[in-house]
Amino acid sequence: MAETRKGFLIDTTRCIGCRSCQVACKQWNKLEADKTANQGSFENPRDLTPNLYNRIRFVEQADSNSVKWLFLNERCMHCGDAGCMKVCPSPGALYRTKEGIVAFNREKCISCKYCVSACPFNIPRYGADDKVSKCNLCGDRVAGGMPPACAKACPTQSIQFGNRSELVARAKAAKKSIYGESDLMGLGVVYALEGKPEQYGLPAKPSIPVSIFLWKDVIKPLGILGFWGSVGAMLLHYVTIGPKKLEDETNNKEGSHE
């Protein structure tokens, strides 16, 4: 998988906040426009939505003398160890392609929203149809040998797409500060940052919540074991006691009539 795994290298130093990636993504995936209102920020929209798979986060850093802008392309990270996939109870609703993409199938989504709780980056969204929605890394384009729409549209090559291992090696050779190389068995979206992850709103050490492991590895198996244990106990009771008790009651009634 490491040799064929695809991904992004997003160089934040090259991003100019033009949001061409947002527009291209909407066009290719045929996503409806989001109605927004000016809330005193250049960000538009202010958050990911079911109709916005990727967006540019504007981070303003001001001191007494100047203002500096940091831009971050926010989207699904396509984690190597994906919490959303671990916790999803519906087979095939969230799945991994041969290129390493964490894709989704709305028809198989049961609207449990467990994936929202499992994601360290707060990415999955649910729309009016109450089905999961997120960046699918343009899996249809990738399967056809084309780059994702956002990477194709980026005018500064801030979003670079290719074999993940090659992109990481390229960033290291350029002495970039890399985020996501080994976290969660390697993120499918690796960032070259100017500052600390926290400055961009990224967790310094992303991890799947412990509660997810408790649910998947302890509570869920115990629940299944308890269910089938109860079924087994009822069958055992019926086989060993039920018929005998019924037979005894019948014999007692016949004896009382005599």
Side-chain angles (χ1 to χ4, degrees), residues 223-239:
I224 295 173
L225 181 63
F227 171 76
W228 288 111
S230 299
V231 172
M234 287 189 292
L235 289 173
L236 181 63
H237 181 275
Y238 177 79
V239 170

Side-chain angles (χ1 to χ4, degrees), residues 121-141:
F121 302 99
N122 186 34
I123 296 299
R125 295 291 187 271
Y126 282 76
D129 61 354
D130 210 26
K131 300 294 185 180
V132 69
S133 180
K134 68 176 191 67
C135 164
N136 56 19
L137 219 149
C138 287
D140 50 352
R141 289 178 61 92

Side-chain angles (χ1 to χ4, degrees), residues 13 15 33 43 48 56 58 62 78 89 124 138 140 143 156 159 177 191 219 221-222 256:
T13 64
C15 183
E43 287 185 303
L48 292 171
I56 299 299
F58 284 61
H78 301 277
C138 287
D140 50 352
T156 62
I159 305 174
S177 177
Y191 291 99
I219 298 175
L222 286 176
S256 63

Side-chain angles (χ1 to χ4, degrees), residues 102-116:
V102 179
F104 64 92
N105 185 334
R106 279 198 177 91
E107 294 182 0
K108 295 183 178 181
C109 176
I110 60 174
S111 308
C112 66
K113 299 181 176 67
Y114 290 153
C115 57
V116 177

